[in-house]
C-alpha cells in the first residue's frame, strides 16, 4: 500500500507491506506454517508452544499462538498451546477457533516447564518458540521474496519492528545476502536499548518493556537472532518514543484506514521521526493488526 | 477484498468494494470529481456547496466537503464551502487541507441561503448538492464499471447504504440497466422507514435520523433519486438496527483490519443479518473510512 498524504508528511515515497492482512492477522503465520510443515515431514505428533511471558500474558498480542494453531490446522497436525490458567479468555478463544488443544498450567515457570517437557518427550511434539526458533526464522523469510518481487526495484530500505528478533533477523539475513544495497533498519522502543546490545553486548536491564507496542514487550533478543542482527544492522537501530508510536498509529488509522496494531505503527514511527536523510524509498513492514474492537489510542 | 472468516459467518462468498480507500476516504470523490470537471467545461468560476444539515453539522461525516475540495484542487477550479460558524474545526481543517475557500454563515437557513445565492449569481459558481445532483449521481456511476470489471462474473447482488440516495440511485440505475440479473439491496437504519417511502410514498416523519451511521443521518431521499430507487429497488430494502451496525463494524475492524466508518458497516449489517437466502455472492460497498482517531464503538 501507498498513501500520497503519508508520502508528503514523510518527504519520501513510502511503501507499506501489509502483514496485518496476512492469515491470522500477523507475519507470524509465515514461520508458523513452516514449523507445522516441518513437524509433519519429521513425523512429529504435532506442534506445541507456550504464551511467551508469564508476567505479561494479559498484554501479549497472542499472535504466535493463533498463527501456530491456524498453521497446524491447515497442515493437519495437532497443536497444543500451554497457557497459564489466569490468561484472558479472548486470547484463548482465538486459538480454540483454530482447534488448538489448550493445556492449562499454573502461572509459574516450573509448572509450565514440566508440562512442556511432558509434551516433548511423552507425546513427541515439536516445540515452536515464537522468536528463537530456526523453523520460525526460516519461514518468515518468505516475506523477503514477496517484497523483492513486488517492489524490489523501487525501495532503498526496510523498516521493521523488533521484539525477540526472529522476524527481524530473518529479513536482515536474507536481504543482506540477496540485496545488500537495501538497508534494513531495526525499530524498537527506546527502553529496549537495542544499540547497546548490538554495539556493546550489553543486555537490557529489564525483561519486559513498558510500551504500547505489545508485540515487542519482550526485551531480550533471542540467542539465534542477536548475531544476525549485529552482523547486518549494528549501525541501523532507531529508538522510538511512545508519543511517536502513538502519532504513527493515528496516521495509519485515519489516513490509510488500516487498523494495524501499535507494534506495526512502531516501524512507521521509525520512518516518520528517525529516517536518515539519504533514504528516499523506505518500505515499512506493518507486522500485524490484532487489536481488540474496544482498543483506544490513549 | 474478501475474508474467509467473514464468508464463514455469513454463509456466502462476500466481496467488499473498498471505497474507504478511495481518494479523500469515501465514494464522494467520484461524483465530486465529475462535478468539478463539469464546472471547468462550462467555464463556471468554481464549485460550491454547503455542509448538509445545519442541525446535524457536528455529526456530519464531512465527506462531501472534503471530496469537493480535493476534486476542485485536482481539476484546477476554485472551491467554496459555506459553513455555519459553529461547525467543528476538524471538519473545516479537512477542507482547508485541500485549499477550499471557507465562507462562514450564521447557523440559520436564511443566512446560508443568502450567501449561497450570492455565490451562484455574483460569482458564477456551480452549486454541487451532496445528494440531489445530476453531476454527483453521474460521477458515482464509475464504481459500477469498476465492480463489473473486477467481479462482475462472480456476484449476484450489491448491498449499499442509503442516505440522501445519490450514490444508491447511481448504482441501482446503472446495474439495473447493464446487468439486471444483479440485485441491488438498499440498506438503511430502520428509523428511516425506507420501504414506506418506496412502496407507499410516505415520507419519514423526522428530518435527521438518530443513528451511529453518521453518513446517512439525512432522513429524506433526494427528489431525483426517489423514482430511481422505487423503480429498481422497491422490494429490496433492508432495515437495520443499531446493534447490528455495531456488530458489523466490529467484525470489519477486527477481522478485516479495515477502519471503515459506521455507515460502511451498515451495508455489511444488511448482509450479516438480513441477506435473503437465495443470495450466494453479495458485494458490499464499504462507502467510506473517515472516522476520527479517538472514535470508539460504544
Amino acid at each position: 500500500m501507498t498513501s500520497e498524504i503519508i508520502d508528503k508528511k514523510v518527504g519520501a515515497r513510502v511503501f507499506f507491506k501489509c502483514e496485518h492482512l496476512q492469515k491470522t492477522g500477523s507475519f507470524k503465520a509465515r514461520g508458523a506454517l513452516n514449523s507445522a510443515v516441518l513437524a509433519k515431514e519429521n513425523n512429529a505428533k504435532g506442534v506445541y508452544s507456550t504464551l511467551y511471558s508469564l508476567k505479561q500474558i494479559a498484554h501479549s498480542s497472542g499472535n504466535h499462538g493463533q498463527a501456530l494453531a491456524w498453521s497446524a490446522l491447515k497442515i493437519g497436525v495437532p497443536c497444543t498451546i500451554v497457557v497459564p490458567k489466569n490468561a484472558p479468555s479472548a486470547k484463548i478463544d482465538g486459538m480454540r477457533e483454530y482447534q488448538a488443544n489448550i493445556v492449562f498450567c499454573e502461572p509459574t515457570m516450573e509448572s509450565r516447564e514440566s508440562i512442556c517437557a511432558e509434551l516433548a518427550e511423552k507425546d513427541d511434539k515439536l516445540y515452536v518458540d515464537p522468536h528463537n526458533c530456526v523453523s520460525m526464522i526460516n519461514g518468515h523469510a518468505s516475506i523477503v521474496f514477496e517484497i523483492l518481487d513486488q517492489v524490489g526495484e523501487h525501495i532503498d530500505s526496510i523498516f521493521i519492528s523488533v521484539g525477540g528478533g526472529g522476524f527481524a533477523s530473518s529479513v536482515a539475513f536474507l536481504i543482506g545476502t540477496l540485496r545488500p544495497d537495501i538497508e534494513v533498519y531495526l525499530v524498537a522502543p527506546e527502553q529496549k536499548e537495542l544499540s547497546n546490545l548490538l554495539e556493546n553486548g550489553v543486555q537490557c536491564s529489564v525483561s519486559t518493556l513498558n510500551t504500547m507496542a505489545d508485540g515487542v514487550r519482550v526485551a531480550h533478543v533471542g540467542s539465534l537472532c542477536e548475531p544476525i542482527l549485529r552482523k547486518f544492522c549494528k549501525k541501523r537501530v532507531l529508538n522510538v518514543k511512545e508519543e511517536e508510536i502513538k502519532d504513527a498509529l493515528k496516521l495509519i488509522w485515519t489516513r490509510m484506514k488500516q487498523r494495524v496494531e501499535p507494534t506495526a505503527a512502531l516501524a512507521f514511527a521509525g520512518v516518520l521521526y528517525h529516517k536518515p536523510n539519504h533514504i528516499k524509498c523506505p518500505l515499512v513492514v506493518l507486522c500485524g493488526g490484532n487489536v481488540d474492537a474496544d482498543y483506544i489510542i490513549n
Side-chain angles (χ1 to χ4, degrees), chain A:
Chain A
M1 279 194 175
T2 57
S3 158
E4 282 181 14
I5 287 177
I6 283 179
D7 289 355
K8 214 177 282 178
K9 284 201 186 283
V10 170
R13 181 62 164 156
V14 187
F15 292 91
F16 292 89
K17 177 67 175 163
C18 295
E19 291 296 286
H20 64 297
L21 304 181
Q22 181 56 265
K23 293 294 178 190
T24 75
S26 87
F27 71 87
K28 293 276 186 187
R30 297 179 182 273
L33 197 56
N34 190 49
S35 303
V37 167
L38 194 75
K40 185 156 200 175
E41 284 177 357
N42 290 344
N43 296 313
K45 299 251 166 61
V47 291
Y48 78 99
S49 192
T50 60
L51 288 192
Y52 195 73
S53 160
L54 287 175
K55 264 195 286 185
Q56 282 294 327
I57 200 158
H59 308 290
S60 159
S61 68
N63 286 347
H64 179 66
Q66 256 197 70
L68 194 62
W70 172 82
S71 301
L73 184 63
K74 279 279 166 188
I75 300 300
V77 297
C79 174
T80 303
I81 311 284
V82 180
V83 174
K85 59 187 192 184
N86 58 347
S89 60
K91 311 279 180 200
I92 297 169
D93 291 347
M95 299 172 212
R96 282 209 172 114
E97 200 167 325
Y98 298 118
Q99 299 169 32
N101 179 30
I102 306 295
V103 174
F104 289 97
C105 65
E106 297 298 317
T108 65
M109 261 326 201
E110 296 72 39
S111 168
R112 181 169 80 174
E113 297 207 336
S114 85
I115 289 178
C116 285
E118 209 174 317
L119 287 169
E121 286 166 34
K122 202 185 80 184
D123 286 1
D124 190 25
K125 286 191 181 351
L126 179 73
Y127 177 65
V128 183
D129 188 88
H131 309 294
N132 210 40
C133 173
V134 173
S135 61
M136 287 296 286
I137 295 175
N138 285 345
H140 293 332
S142 62
I143 196 175
V144 170
F145 296 106
E146 280 176 29
I147 289 171
L148 293 181
D149 189 46
Q150 290 168 333
V151 292
E153 300 316 304
H154 301 291
I155 59 171
D156 57 14
S157 53
I158 296 176
F159 290 70
I160 189 164
S161 303
V162 182
F167 186 50
S169 58
S170 179
V171 172
F173 178 88
L174 199 51
I175 287 286
T177 306
L178 297 178
R179 284 288 303 274
D181 60 306
I182 297 176
E183 302 179 7
V184 176
Y185 286 88
L186 308 178
V187 189
E190 52 182 4
Q191 198 194 359
K192 191 181 184 80
E193 298 187 20
L194 186 57
S195 302
N196 211 8
L197 174 68
L198 299 187
E199 293 188 26
N200 311 317
V202 178
Q203 292 287 344
C204 182
S205 58
V206 298
S207 68
T208 308
L209 305 181
N210 183 16
T211 173
M212 68 188 287
D214 62 351
V216 297
R217 284 205 177 118
V218 51
H220 294 152
V221 171
S223 57
L224 292 170
C225 314
E226 187 182 325
I228 299 174
L229 297 183
R230 184 171 290 116
K231 175 169 179 189
F232 291 101
C233 309
K234 191 159 81 173
K235 296 287 180 192
R236 289 173 188 157
V237 173
L238 305 175
N239 303 306
V240 168
K241 293 185 203 312
E242 291 300 301
E243 279 303 317
E244 295 169 344
I245 302 174
K246 199 183 291 186
D247 288 351
L249 187 57
K250 280 184 189 171
L251 267 180
I252 298 171
W253 279 21
T254 58
R255 295 311 194 156
M256 298 180 66
K257 326 294 182 193
Q258 299 304 295
R259 205 157 178 281
V260 299
E261 55 186 75
T263 310
L266 170 65
F268 178 52
V271 170
L272 193 59
Y273 290 102
H274 305 279
K275 180 183 74 59
N277 278 334
H278 68 282
I279 297 299
K280 303 297 176 206
C281 296
L283 178 138
V284 173
V285 179
L286 297 175
C287 59
N290 291 326
V291 249
D292 294 340
D294 58 0
Y295 176 85
I296 50 168
I297 304 175
N298 279 311

